[in-house]
Amino acid sequence: MSLLEAALRAASVLAAFLVLPLLVGQAEHKVMAHMQGRLGPMYAGGFHGWAQLVADGVKFVQKEDITPRAADRWVFRLAPAVALIPYLLAMATIPIHPGVAAVDVPGSLVLVLAATSVGALGTLMAGWASANKYALLGGLRAAAQLVSYELPIVLALASIAMAGGSLSLMALTQAWSPWWLLWQLPGGLVFLVAACAELQRPPFDMPVADAELVMGAWTEYTGLRFAFFLLAEYAGIVVMSLLFAVLWLGGWHGPFEGTLGWLWTLLKGFGVAVLVIWVRVAWPRLREDQLQRLAWLWLVPIALAQLLLTGAGVVMGW
Amino acid sequence: MRPLPGILKGLITTARTALRPTHTAEYPDVAPELPPRSRGVIALLEENCTSCMLCARECPDWCIYIDSHKETIPATTEGGRDRQRNVLDRFAIDFSLCMYCGICIEVCPFDALHWSPQFEYAEVDLLDLLHEKDRLGGWMASVPPPPALDEKAAEPAEIAAANRPARGAGLAGGAGGAGGSGPRMPRTVRPRAAGSPRPDAGSPPPDAGSPPPDAGEASP
Ligand code: SF4
Ligand code: SF4
């Protein structure tokens, strides 16, 4: 790979990283509004408020950047970056078309898994370093939640890796067949639920719980740093949705896959993102004990059963 | 799997709402349809106000400011007593404190305060929410006419009183002796001096036929 090509790929990932979360965010504004019988933002930008998030970004940039005096200065300031950058890394490895991924590494599945787990560390750092009891409580809750939901994600992905016989996302998607839609369905559902929880989205947003914890781990954050956390959440949705689209829904497989494959991947990913938004609108927040129950009594057993099923399938050569 | 039906119901409800047209009122572009008794702002009808201070006293937030002074009106008849009248100098409501409870309007005995449905008077400076007399008076123009009385409702008290047939016409000492038309003059009740004959006990009182004694005719 020449230097120019590397720079080009890096730039394209950065562009995708800046555009796709905004797209998802705007979709959330609109979908959520319509699901609640509202219109959502209508003014910024003229046509149906398309520039709302850009305007929000400008607003965030203008705001003062405050670090509390008692805060653990460097940890506090680094936390948003720790939350945000791993998703950039993860996005770089997700293939949207045969041969079209910014970096095509052999073990990209493991890389994505590792990167998304690091993202959650940002919340922990923020909660610990803020010197604020709400933030600390949010951080503790986040820790409990991330420990619980990391496991189902790993198990669900392990099942896919077994089925495709590879640890590379590209190879896995090439191995995908429509039959997987049924065969890997339980694991897929587990992954969707766990991904929502990993992103601390409603209905799994106890660490933030703005009604009881004043925005949880992000309580002390202002301006751009707060915006980075929000951006990390949306980038996380993009990464998780694309991952689901690539692994469970077959990525670029579909009509005209030779030329329009990348569009299929993006469309499927967007569909999953809308599903994530839909879930947010439809369901109330879980209680802490319900959250743990769901993870340990439902998701982990189902994921294990899926692993068993996949193992049987691979051995029998389905 | 107990919560499953509820979970699906939530999804279905939100999806169905998303497919229906929205019912958002696009407020700044489309004026809202306010119910007739909306509490927008309080209007003052200054002519009616007697500066009795009832509203200011009852206001839970003490956000009504009233200053008044008394003026003496000279007697109109010779030897009469001068009368005094309250003149309103300042009447202000601080809408940054007001909680729109409507108590002031309820207690005003003279219908000087009214609800106006105007609600667009937000200000950049908090101090500008203190509406003085003229501004409060200006809101009067937007006060809707009072709703019509119910068909079967009793007549308003003043109309009922005016239409009441004159009572005791022709009786000795009756104050309504003026043919029974027009409002009856109120009868002045004054303490009787001990030992004097009851005025209506058969014999006509000494001043029968003359107009009823007024305040101008001081009793001995
Ligand atoms: S509405 Fe209530 S709070 Fe407001 S001025 Fe009248 S009495 Fe006071
Ligand atoms: S209660 Fe009515 S009449 Fe009395 S001061 Fe208030 S507004 Fe004026």
Side-chain angles (χ1 to χ4, degrees):
Chain A
M1 197 187 293
S2 72
L3 202 65
L4 179 70
E5 195 191 342
L8 218 63
R9 285 179 182 234
S12 66
V13 168
L14 198 63
F17 187 67
L18 292 178
V19 171
L20 292 182
L22 288 192
L23 218 61
V24 171
Q26 182 68 11
E28 173 164 52
H29 274 320
K30 283 299 181 182
V31 170
M32 204 156 113
H34 282 280
M35 283 182 171
Q36 295 168 343
R38 302 183 283 115
L39 284 171
M42 288 293 279
Y43 278 89
F47 178 74
H48 281 256
W50 66 269
Q52 180 61 46
L53 286 173
V54 180
D56 282 349
V58 172
K59 185 190 74 183
F60 276 127
V61 170
Q62 291 171 356
K63 302 231 165 170
E64 194 181 0
D65 181 23
I66 298 171
T67 309
R69 192 176 301 159
D72 198 339
R73 205 171 177 76
W74 284 108
V75 181
F76 183 85
R77 301 195 141 197
L78 267 180
V82 173
L84 188 59
I85 291 177
Y87 288 119
L88 178 63
L89 207 64
M91 211 180 273
T93 58
I94 292 180
I96 59 167
H97 195 67
V100 183
V103 275
D104 186 14
V105 287
S108 45
L109 186 67
V110 180
L111 184 70
V112 167
L113 206 56
T116 50
S117 316
V118 171
L121 258 182
T123 314
L124 289 183
M125 286 169 64
W128 179 253
S130 287
N132 171 315
K133 62 183 171 193
Y134 298 110
L136 182 58
L137 274 179
L140 294 180
R141 286 191 190 188
Q145 180 166 333
L146 300 177
V147 167
S148 312
Y149 281 86
E150 208 50 58
L151 197 55
I153 288 190
V154 173
L155 290 177
L157 287 180
S159 152
I160 283 280
M162 248 162 85
S166 168
L167 280 180
S168 152
L169 293 174
M170 192 77 79
L172 283 176
T173 318
Q174 256 144 10
W176 185 87
S177 77
W179 151 241
W180 283 25
L181 281 180
L182 202 64
W183 185 28
Q184 299 295 333
L185 180 68
L189 293 180
V190 167
F191 177 82
L192 264 187
V193 174
C196 261
E198 184 85 358
L199 296 172
Q200 299 158 34
R201 299 258 313 159
F204 304 101
D205 64 336
M206 255 106 18
V208 180
D210 51 5
E212 39 179 306
L213 282 185
V214 210
M215 222 56 195
W218 311 344
T219 304
E220 292 292 351
Y221 282 86
T222 53
L224 211 51
R225 283 175 211 278
F226 184 81
F228 281 158
F229 275 118
L230 288 187
L231 189 61
E233 183 175 329
Y234 289 108
I237 297 178
V238 172
V239 167
M240 292 297 187
S241 306
L242 282 180
L243 208 55
F244 190 82
V246 164
L247 291 180
W248 274 274
L249 303 181
W252 55 80
H253 293 292
F256 313 112
E257 63 181 83
T259 48
L260 286 181
W262 55 273
L263 196 62
W264 279 117
T265 314
L266 289 186
L267 274 182
K268 286 172 185 175
F270 190 71
V272 179
V274 169
L275 185 69
V276 170
I277 295 167
W278 187 8
V279 163
R280 172 198 181 149
V281 184
W283 298 340
R285 175 184 299 145
L286 264 72
R287 219 169 44 219
E288 185 70 47
D289 61 313
Q290 291 169 332
L291 183 92
Q292 299 293 345
R293 252 185 111 72
L294 180 68
W296 294 104
L297 293 189
W298 290 101
L299 297 188
V300 172
I302 292 177
L304 284 174
Q306 170 71 69
L307 211 55
L308 209 65
L309 185 71
T310 312
V314 170
V315 171
M316 312 279 277
W318 288 345
Chain B
M1 286 284 109
R2 197 161 35 85
L4 201 58
I7 283 175
L8 289 182
K9 213 165 140 191
L11 286 178
I12 291 169
T13 306
T14 42
R16 210 181 279 153
T17 315
L19 295 180
R20 251 185 255 134
T22 55
H23 36 266
T24 307
E26 289 181 71
Y27 155 60
D29 299 333
V30 182
E33 254 180 60
L34 295 172
R37 291 201 287 177
S38 332
R39 299 180 169 193
V41 70
I42 297 167
L44 169 72
L45 187 58
E46 203 185 325
E47 303 92 282
N48 278 8
C49 180
T50 59
S51 337
C52 69
M53 299 287 284
L54 276 183
C55 53
R57 260 184 19 182
E58 296 296 328
C59 172
D61 291 346
W62 286 35
C63 58
I64 303 182
Y65 305 95
I66 298 177
D67 287 337
S68 64
H69 68 272
K70 285 191 196 266
E71 264 176 16
T72 305
I73 304 172
T76 44
T77 47
E78 186 67 30
R81 194 179 66 183
D82 291 350
R83 292 173 40 147
Q84 284 195 313
R85 189 167 70 96
N86 281 330
V87 178
L88 198 58
D89 295 327
R90 178 181 187 220
F91 191 108
I93 298 182
D94 190 347
F95 283 107
S96 64
L97 291 177
C98 173
M99 57 180 185
Y100 303 89
C101 63
I103 289 177
C104 52
I105 294 168
E106 291 296 324
V107 298
C108 176
F110 303 105
D111 276 352
L113 294 177
H114 301 269
W115 279 119
S116 152
Q118 292 294 325
F119 61 93
E120 293 164 307
Y121 51 97
E123 299 280 0
V124 178
D125 190 344
L126 208 58
L127 295 180
D128 292 339
L129 281 174
L130 183 68
H131 289 199
E132 292 291 344
K133 199 165 57 171
D134 41 349
R135 191 143 178 223
L136 289 174
W139 296 120
M140 244 353 257
S142 58
V143 171
L149 278 184
D150 199 85
E151 265 176 61
K152 302 266 169 63
E155 275 177 314
E158 55 273 28
I159 294 179
N163 291 345
R164 196 159 35 187
R167 208 168 53 172
L171 274 188
S181 67
R184 236 158 36 111
M185 298 294 283
R187 194 159 18 172
T188 323
V189 179
R190 46 182 71 237
R192 257 185 304 121
S196 71
R198 289 176 66 186
D200 52 350
S203 67
D207 55 348
S210 71
D214 213 337
E217 197 179 316
S219 54

